[in-house]
Amino acid sequence: MKAPVRVAVTGAAGQISYSLLFRIASGEMLGKDQPVILQLLEITPALEALKGVAMELEDCAFPLLAGIVQSDDATVAFKDIEYALLVGARPRGPGMERKDLLEANAAIFSAQGKALNEVAARNVKVLVVGNPANTNALIAQRNAPDLDPRNFTAMTRLDHNRALSQLANKTGSTVNDITHMTIWGNHSATQYPDLHQAKVKGEDAMGKVEQEWYETDFIPTVQQRGAAIIKARGASSAASAANAAIDHMRDWALGTAEGDWTSMAVYSDGSYGIQEGLIYSFPVTCKNGDWEIVQGVDINEFSREKMTATEQELAEERDAVAHLLP
Ligand code: NAX
């Protein structure tokens, strides 16, 4: 058996974590041969609820769960961690403007970035789930100058998985038949789910759907899926978000499928003309615990316009918190 690795989860008493933690502890994220120590961060008023979650984790008697740490102090929860799933965030309250939301979260993610910089393992892999995820990841990254910016990512895997299912339904296939799906940009309603590279049973997806469906059905359905779930369920996506976080981390740690790629919001190196330093979702492949942006994807005029719109939104979010960045 391997030595245990330390995995931090923030917002650990929240609804996403209630699906997420049990799957990490059962080995679905890092493999059935990898023991984990869960290091759980919550705000002080939620520590009692967190205790209940930790009791349930114990009661599962997971063979791979080698320990549980509970804290409201990020320097305790992030000590020596190799994986961080930053799920906790400030939700939008009544009357709160977008700017207020960005600022409230900037405070949280600055502090967590600093704590990661101080105490996490130098190879820590960070996934930000809490919204606005891309900009929260950027803020954490900028506050962790001693860590490689490539260690910071944000989640667009839920959007990616939603797109896979929509296309499978439309083409009468299953998600197993689909490859080369891409989500570009921000995890928000400006994201661009791109089918131009996607394949269904090895054939071009765009040849199997009408342009009209692509533009007026597929793209808005994927972009608005989070809102549709809230409307139907009366609560935001939780199990599917947890599932996407598992998929994101598993692929990053253990590799993407041969001959395919996934979507991750990562530190832009200027690929596809996207401003350097934004945390932007690209098609990526992962191997040996590292990710790489897929190069050479053809971008037509339609795609370029949508990629630029979501880039613009990310640049605006960054500028709105610029005064809080180091
Ligand atoms: P919940 O409100 O159920 O849980 C959030 C938890 O975070 C709470 O227990 C809260 O006490 C804790 N928390 C707040 N501030 C914290 C801090 N500074 N340190 C540690 N913990 C803190 O929300 P949940 O439904 O679990 O969603 C969590 C986040 O995921 C939200 O920001 C949500 O918008 C975001 N989502 C992101 C998605 C994505 O695809 N990137 C999709 C699902 C989800 O909407």
Side-chain angles (χ1 to χ4, degrees):
M1 193 66 100
K2 296 178 180 170
V5 292
R6 296 177 183 274
V7 178
V9 178
T10 73
Q15 57 149 1
I16 292 177
S17 292
Y18 196 65
S19 289
L20 180 60
L21 293 170
F22 298 84
R23 296 187 60 188
I24 299 173
S26 73
E28 288 181 54
M29 185 170 91
L30 298 174
K32 298 281 182 188
D33 59 347
Q34 179 59 68
V36 293
I37 297 170
L38 286 174
Q39 308 204 156
L40 310 178
L41 183 70
E42 258 298 348
I43 52 174
T44 316
L47 284 178
E48 191 59 26
L50 181 61
K51 202 198 276 179
V53 175
M55 286 159 72
E56 283 204 72
L57 280 163
E58 282 178 7
D59 293 351
C60 293
F62 287 119
L64 291 170
L65 185 55
I68 305 174
V69 172
Q70 301 168 59
S71 184
D72 57 1
D73 178 347
T75 61
V76 172
F78 294 167
K79 182 85 180 121
D80 298 331
I81 53 165
E82 290 179 55
Y83 298 89
L85 294 94
L86 307 185
V87 180
R90 178 80 188 276
R92 191 187 289 245
M96 213 169 166
E97 299 287 333
R98 206 167 96 106
K99 190 168 160 291
D100 303 330
L101 184 73
L102 280 163
E103 290 203 357
N105 279 295
I108 294 173
F109 286 83
S110 303
Q112 294 188 358
K114 288 191 177 85
L116 287 166
N117 195 53
E118 212 178 301
V119 300
R122 297 302 85 179
N123 63 348
V124 64
K125 289 178 166 52
V126 182
L127 167 62
V128 177
V129 175
N131 280 320
N134 300 50
T135 297
N136 289 343
L138 174 106
I139 291 163
Q141 181 269 313
R142 293 277 283 269
N143 280 280
D146 303 333
L147 297 174
D148 189 332
R150 293 172 52 84
N151 295 15
F152 289 83
T153 66
M155 190 165 96
T156 51
R157 184 60 173 263
L158 180 53
D159 310 299
H160 180 101
N161 287 346
R162 287 165 171 167
L164 289 177
S165 284
Q166 292 300 318
L167 180 61
N169 291 346
K170 170 72 177 174
T171 55
S173 53
T174 76
V175 291
N176 306 300
D177 299 323
I178 300 174
T179 62
H180 302 92
M181 181 63 73
T182 308
I183 305 292
W184 300 96
N186 200 2
H187 167 67
S188 76
T190 67
Q191 65 174 273
Y192 172 43
D194 182 3
L195 286 188
H196 290 94
Q197 274 65 46
K199 305 262 187 259
V200 182
K201 297 190 180 130
E203 293 173 12
D204 286 344
M206 286 302 277
K208 295 183 177 292
V209 303
E210 312 83 44
Q211 183 72 24
E212 160 86 6
W213 175 82
Y214 177 52
E215 288 185 33
T216 64
D217 193 332
F218 175 78
I219 294 176
T221 297
V222 176
Q223 288 173 332
Q224 304 293 339
R225 186 72 164 180
I229 302 236
I230 291 174
K231 189 157 175 265
R233 203 173 88 88
S236 60
S237 323
S240 56
N243 178 68
I246 296 274
D247 284 351
H248 177 116
M249 281 305 212
R250 191 196 51 232
D251 281 358
W252 191 359
L254 305 178
T256 40
E258 199 56 44
D260 197 6
W261 66 54
T262 188
S263 304
M264 285 167 64
V266 296
Y267 186 86
S268 171
D269 61 357
S271 290
Y272 299 97
I274 302 303
Q275 289 179 52
E276 202 177 328
L278 289 178
I279 305 288
Y280 188 96
S281 182
F282 290 98
V284 300
T285 53
C286 303
K287 204 175 184 173
N288 301 326
D290 200 6
W291 55 261
E292 203 176 314
I293 297 173
V294 176
Q295 299 297 325
V297 170
D298 277 338
I299 308 295
N300 64 19
E301 215 175 298
F302 180 88
S303 295
R304 176 54 67 184
E305 201 178 294
K306 297 222 162 336
M307 287 164 65
T308 303
T310 189
E311 177 190 16
Q312 192 57 42
E313 183 182 53
L314 282 171
E316 282 168 20
E317 289 184 11
R318 176 200 58 204
D319 295 346
V321 295
H323 59 291
L324 301 169
L325 291 175

